[in-house]
Amino acid sequence: MSAQPMPASDAASAEPAVRAASPRTLREALPVFLRHGSPRILIACVGIAVAARVAAGGWSAWDLVPLVALVLYWPIQEWGIHVFILHAKPRRVFGRTIDLRVPRKHRAHHREPWRLDILFIPMHSFLYTIPILAGVWWLVTPSASLALTGIAAHFALALHYEWVHFLVHTRVTPRNAYYQRLWKSHRRHHFKNENYWFGVTMLSGDRLLGTAPDVADVPTSPTARTLLA
C-alpha cells in the first residue's frame, strides 16, 4: 500500500519532527535510500542492463554516441517531465475532474517536502516506463549492443536522479560545488517559486528554456507548497 499524504494542517505541524528525523550524513542516508522500492528497482535494472551489455560484446567508439545523446537529452527530459507531467493540474473533462496519480503524488511531495517516503518515482510507473524505454532504445539504435548501452546509461542516470533528489530533501549538505548548485536550485523550486528551477540533476534545461532567473528577481510564490493556484 502506498503512503498517503497528510492533510495540510497536519503536515505543517509535523514538519519539524519529520525533518529532524531525516539523515544528516551520506552514511546515514544510504541505508534509508536503499529501503525504498524505486532505488532497488533501478539498481536491479542497471545491473541487468550492464550485464547484458557486457555479454553482448562488440564494444566500439559508437558506444559513446548513446552516452553523448543522453547527456544532451537528459536536462530537457527532466524539464519536460517536471513541467508537463509532475505539475499537471486537475482538469474538468465532460463534467468530470481528471487528476492523474503522478501529479497528485507530486503535489503531496511539495506539501510535505521532508517526507522521504513520497518523493521517489512512483512504483507503478515502472510497469510502463521500463518497456517503453527499452523499446525506444531498440528503435533509435542500429544494433542490440548500442541499445543496451543506451538502456544501461539511462537507468544509471535515473538512479542518480533518485539519489540526488532524495539527498536534497534530507539534512545532508553537499560539499561538491556541482551538487551544491543542484541543492540550491531544487530547494528554490520548492520554497521560493515552483514556476522555476525544474532541473534536478542537470540544470541546462532551465537555462535553455528560461526558467533559471536570478533568484533576487523572483517573487516568493504563495503556491509553492500546493502547486494549485
Side-chain angles (χ1 to χ4, degrees), residues 15 18-19 22 112-116 168-170 187 191:
E15 185 168 295
V18 172
R19 186 180 184 188
S22 74
E112 301 178 69
W114 308 115
R115 269 190 65 184
L116 303 180
V168 171
H169 291 279
T170 67
R187 289 206 170 187
F191 302 111

Side-chain angles (χ1 to χ4, degrees), residues 35-226:
R35 284 205 296 264
H36 293 277
S38 172
R40 290 180 176 183
I41 288 174
L42 288 170
I43 289 169
C45 287
V46 171
I48 292 168
V50 169
R53 179 62 190 92
V54 171
W59 297 94
S60 73
W62 286 105
D63 283 283
L64 295 174
V65 174
L67 304 182
V68 172
L70 263 177
V71 170
L72 295 175
Y73 159 76
W74 196 265
I76 305 303
Q77 173 192 252
E78 281 193 353
W79 192 95
I81 290 174
H82 207 151
V83 171
F84 297 112
I85 297 177
L86 300 184
H87 281 216
K89 291 180 168 56
R91 296 185 180 277
R92 296 285 292 177
V93 179
F94 299 117
R96 297 184 62 183
T97 299
I98 305 299
D99 190 9
L100 299 177
R101 186 175 177 182
V102 171
R104 190 167 66 243
K105 182 182 179 185
H106 191 70
R107 289 196 297 274
H109 168 53
H110 267 258
R111 189 165 64 246
E112 301 178 69
W114 308 115
R115 269 190 65 184
L116 303 180
D117 57 322
I118 59 174
L119 65 80
F120 292 98
I121 295 171
M123 294 291 286
H124 75 276
S125 67
F126 289 109
L127 294 174
Y128 51 86
T129 55
I130 289 175
I132 289 172
L133 169 63
V136 167
W137 277 109
W138 240 260
L139 286 173
V140 301
T141 50
S143 68
S145 60
L146 289 181
L148 288 168
T149 297
I151 291 168
H154 205 124
F155 283 135
L157 286 178
L159 180 60
H160 178 244
Y161 171 95
E162 288 286 72
W163 176 239
V164 170
H165 188 215
F166 166 77
L167 289 179
V168 171
H169 291 279
T170 67
R171 293 182 295 164
V172 176
T173 301
R175 297 179 181 179
N176 176 279
Y178 177 72
Y179 288 101
Q180 287 175 357
R181 288 195 295 273
L182 299 181
W183 186 93
K184 289 178 182 178
S185 177
H186 194 62
R187 289 206 170 187
R188 287 169 181 167
H189 174 76
H190 271 275
F191 302 111
K192 180 67 174 177
N193 195 306
E194 77 278 16
N195 299 303
Y196 302 98
W197 307 296
F198 293 104
V200 175
T201 66
M202 298 185 188
L203 306 181
S204 54
D206 283 306
R207 292 193 293 270
L208 179 65
L209 296 165
T211 51
D214 188 316
V215 67
D217 297 331
V218 177
T220 299
S221 169
T223 56
R225 297 291 291 269
T226 65

